[in-house]
PDB file of all heavy atoms in Angstrom:
ATOM      1  N   GLU A  17     153.414 115.778  89.639  1.00 88.00           N
ATOM      2  CA  GLU A  17     152.975 116.948  90.410  1.00 88.00           C
ATOM      3  C   GLU A  17     152.802 116.592  91.932  1.00 88.00           C
ATOM      4  O   GLU A  17     153.160 117.353  92.785  1.00 88.00           O
ATOM      5  CB  GLU A  17     151.601 117.479  89.877  1.00 88.00           C
ATOM      6  CG  GLU A  17     151.757 118.117  88.555  1.00 88.00           C
ATOM      7  CD  GLU A  17     150.398 118.508  87.957  1.00 88.00           C
ATOM      8  OE1 GLU A  17     149.396 117.768  88.168  1.00 88.00           O
ATOM      9  OE2 GLU A  17     150.344 119.495  87.227  1.00 88.00           O
ATOM     10  N   ASP A  20     156.290 116.365  93.288  1.00 90.00           N
ATOM     11  CA  ASP A  20     156.845 117.765  93.445  1.00 90.00           C
ATOM     12  C   ASP A  20     156.215 118.408  94.664  1.00 90.00           C
ATOM     13  O   ASP A  20     156.996 119.078  95.468  1.00 90.00           O
ATOM     14  CB  ASP A  20     156.552 118.607  92.253  1.00 90.00           C
ATOM     15  CG  ASP A  20     157.358 118.193  91.043  1.00 90.00           C
ATOM     16  OD1 ASP A  20     158.349 117.441  91.220  1.00 90.00           O
ATOM     17  OD2 ASP A  20     157.054 118.575  89.898  1.00 90.00           O
ATOM     18  N   GLU A  39     170.870 118.539 115.065  1.00 94.00           N
ATOM     19  CA  GLU A  39     171.086 117.884 116.339  1.00 94.00           C
ATOM     20  C   GLU A  39     170.860 116.367 116.190  1.00 94.00           C
ATOM     21  O   GLU A  39     171.611 115.544 116.752  1.00 94.00           O
ATOM     22  CB  GLU A  39     170.244 118.447 117.481  1.00 94.00           C
ATOM     23  CG  GLU A  39     170.615 119.882 117.868  1.00 94.00           C
ATOM     24  CD  GLU A  39     171.985 119.901 118.580  1.00 94.00           C
ATOM     25  OE1 GLU A  39     172.282 118.981 119.333  1.00 94.00           O
ATOM     26  OE2 GLU A  39     172.730 120.811 118.243  1.00 94.00           O
ATOM     27  N   GLN A  45     175.456 110.392 114.471  1.00 95.00           N
ATOM     28  CA  GLN A  45     176.814 110.227 114.210  1.00 95.00           C
ATOM     29  C   GLN A  45     177.580 109.785 115.433  1.00 95.00           C
ATOM     30  O   GLN A  45     178.397 108.848 115.411  1.00 95.00           O
ATOM     31  CB  GLN A  45     177.429 111.546 113.740  1.00 95.00           C
ATOM     32  CG  GLN A  45     178.902 111.489 113.266  1.00 95.00           C
ATOM     33  CD  GLN A  45     179.072 110.509 112.115  1.00 95.00           C
ATOM     34  OE1 GLN A  45     178.233 110.357 111.205  1.00 95.00           O
ATOM     35  NE2 GLN A  45     180.158 109.762 112.153  1.00 95.00           N
ATOM     36  N   ALA A  62     167.552  91.111 114.916  1.00 91.00           N
ATOM     37  CA  ALA A  62     167.502  89.774 115.589  1.00 91.00           C
ATOM     38  C   ALA A  62     166.297  89.791 116.605  1.00 91.00           C
ATOM     39  O   ALA A  62     166.320  89.071 117.556  1.00 91.00           O
ATOM     40  CB  ALA A  62     168.756  89.491 116.302  1.00 91.00           C
ATOM     41  N   LYS A  68     162.592  85.598 121.989  1.00 91.00           N
ATOM     42  CA  LYS A  68     162.578  84.265 122.515  1.00 91.00           C
ATOM     43  C   LYS A  68     163.460  84.118 123.739  1.00 91.00           C
ATOM     44  O   LYS A  68     163.035  83.500 124.735  1.00 91.00           O
ATOM     45  CB  LYS A  68     163.082  83.249 121.437  1.00 91.00           C
ATOM     46  CG  LYS A  68     162.049  82.972 120.348  1.00 91.00           C
ATOM     47  CD  LYS A  68     162.556  82.006 119.354  1.00 91.00           C
ATOM     48  CE  LYS A  68     161.547  81.835 118.202  1.00 91.00           C
ATOM     49  NZ  LYS A  68     162.084  81.018 117.114  1.00 91.00           N
ATOM     50  N   LEU A  75     160.547  83.344 132.058  1.00 90.00           N
ATOM     51  CA  LEU A  75     159.791  82.102 132.508  1.00 90.00           C
ATOM     52  C   LEU A  75     160.598  81.242 133.445  1.00 90.00           C
ATOM     53  O   LEU A  75     160.164  80.230 133.940  1.00 90.00           O
ATOM     54  CB  LEU A  75     159.304  81.240 131.282  1.00 90.00           C
ATOM     55  CG  LEU A  75     158.296  81.923 130.487  1.00 90.00           C
ATOM     56  CD1 LEU A  75     157.967  81.102 129.209  1.00 90.00           C
ATOM     57  CD2 LEU A  75     157.090  82.282 131.231  1.00 90.00           C
ATOM     58  N   VAL A  79     162.706  84.022 138.381  1.00 89.00           N
ATOM     59  CA  VAL A  79     161.979  85.236 137.910  1.00 89.00           C
ATOM     60  C   VAL A  79     160.510  85.118 138.261  1.00 89.00           C
ATOM     61  O   VAL A  79     159.901  86.097 138.833  1.00 89.00           O
ATOM     62  CB  VAL A  79     162.125  85.512 136.397  1.00 89.00           C
ATOM     63  CG1 VAL A  79     161.357  86.720 135.959  1.00 89.00           C
ATOM     64  CG2 VAL A  79     163.605  85.695 136.112  1.00 89.00           C
ATOM     65  N   THR A  80     159.879  83.956 137.980  1.00 91.00           N
ATOM     66  CA  THR A  80     158.495  83.814 138.397  1.00 91.00           C
ATOM     67  C   THR A  80     158.285  83.860 139.882  1.00 91.00           C
ATOM     68  O   THR A  80     157.336  84.400 140.331  1.00 91.00           O
ATOM     69  CB  THR A  80     157.910  82.476 137.780  1.00 91.00           C
ATOM     70  OG1 THR A  80     158.656  81.390 138.212  1.00 91.00           O
ATOM     71  CG2 THR A  80     157.878  82.508 136.228  1.00 91.00           C
ATOM     72  N   LYS A 102     153.569 104.131 158.999  1.00 92.00           N
ATOM     73  CA  LYS A 102     154.282 105.400 159.211  1.00 92.00           C
ATOM     74  C   LYS A 102     154.982 105.440 160.526  1.00 92.00           C
ATOM     75  O   LYS A 102     156.126 105.861 160.681  1.00 92.00           O
ATOM     76  CB  LYS A 102     153.293 106.614 159.086  1.00 92.00           C
ATOM     77  CG  LYS A 102     153.908 107.938 159.124  1.00 92.00           C
ATOM     78  CD  LYS A 102     152.892 109.012 158.931  1.00 92.00           C
ATOM     79  CE  LYS A 102     153.509 110.427 159.002  1.00 92.00           C
ATOM     80  NZ  LYS A 102     152.479 111.450 158.805  1.00 92.00           N
ATOM     81  N   GLN A 113     169.209 105.810 164.360  1.00 94.00           N
ATOM     82  CA  GLN A 113     170.041 106.866 164.832  1.00 94.00           C
ATOM     83  C   GLN A 113     170.613 106.619 166.277  1.00 94.00           C
ATOM     84  O   GLN A 113     171.709 106.798 166.518  1.00 94.00           O
ATOM     85  CB  GLN A 113     169.213 108.185 164.901  1.00 94.00           C
ATOM     86  CG  GLN A 113     168.860 108.762 163.579  1.00 94.00           C
ATOM     87  CD  GLN A 113     167.881 109.921 163.650  1.00 94.00           C
ATOM     88  OE1 GLN A 113     167.387 110.217 164.706  1.00 94.00           O
ATOM     89  NE2 GLN A 113     167.560 110.513 162.477  1.00 94.00           N
ATOM     90  N   GLU A 116     173.289 103.985 166.078  1.00 93.00           N
ATOM     91  CA  GLU A 116     174.586 104.557 165.622  1.00 93.00           C
ATOM     92  C   GLU A 116     175.321 105.256 166.705  1.00 93.00           C
ATOM     93  O   GLU A 116     176.518 105.103 166.845  1.00 93.00           O
ATOM     94  CB  GLU A 116     174.294 105.460 164.389  1.00 93.00           C
ATOM     95  CG  GLU A 116     175.528 106.153 163.849  1.00 93.00           C
ATOM     96  CD  GLU A 116     176.521 105.207 163.236  1.00 93.00           C
ATOM     97  OE1 GLU A 116     176.133 104.106 162.729  1.00 93.00           O
ATOM     98  OE2 GLU A 116     177.711 105.546 163.165  1.00 93.00           O
ATOM     99  N   ASP A 138     159.852 103.347 176.813  1.00 93.00           N
ATOM    100  CA  ASP A 138     160.089 103.245 175.392  1.00 93.00           C
ATOM    101  C   ASP A 138     160.573 101.778 175.064  1.00 93.00           C
ATOM    102  O   ASP A 138     160.056 101.158 174.096  1.00 93.00           O
ATOM    103  CB  ASP A 138     161.120 104.262 174.854  1.00 93.00           C
ATOM    104  CG  ASP A 138     160.593 105.687 174.972  1.00 93.00           C
ATOM    105  OD1 ASP A 138     159.397 105.858 174.818  1.00 93.00           O
ATOM    106  OD2 ASP A 138     161.369 106.629 175.160  1.00 93.00           O
ATOM    107  N   LEU A 153     153.118  86.173 164.402  1.00 90.00           N
ATOM    108  CA  LEU A 153     153.953  85.439 163.359  1.00 90.00           C
ATOM    109  C   LEU A 153     153.865  83.958 163.601  1.00 90.00           C
ATOM    110  O   LEU A 153     153.672  83.220 162.679  1.00 90.00           O
ATOM    111  CB  LEU A 153     155.412  85.964 163.429  1.00 90.00           C
ATOM    112  CG  LEU A 153     156.368  85.476 162.378  1.00 90.00           C
ATOM    113  CD1 LEU A 153     155.832  85.772 160.968  1.00 90.00           C
ATOM    114  CD2 LEU A 153     157.715  86.007 162.641  1.00 90.00           C
ATOM    115  N   GLU A 155     151.413  82.336 165.094  1.00 89.00           N
ATOM    116  CA  GLU A 155     150.043  81.881 164.771  1.00 89.00           C
ATOM    117  C   GLU A 155     149.922  81.772 163.257  1.00 89.00           C
ATOM    118  O   GLU A 155     149.328  80.865 162.738  1.00 89.00           O
ATOM    119  CB  GLU A 155     149.049  82.862 165.324  1.00 89.00           C
ATOM    120  CG  GLU A 155     148.912  82.828 166.885  1.00 89.00           C
ATOM    121  CD  GLU A 155     148.040  83.860 167.421  1.00 89.00           C
ATOM    122  OE1 GLU A 155     147.427  84.714 166.607  1.00 89.00           O
ATOM    123  OE2 GLU A 155     147.935  83.917 168.638  1.00 89.00           O
TER     124      GLU A 155
END
Side-chain angles (χ1 to χ4, degrees):
E17 289 172 329
D20 289 344
E39 288 294 319
Q45 186 60 37
K68 285 179 185 176
L75 294 177
V79 176
T80 56
K102 184 177 178 181
Q113 288 173 354
E116 177 66 24
D138 293 329
L153 184 59
E155 289 173 1

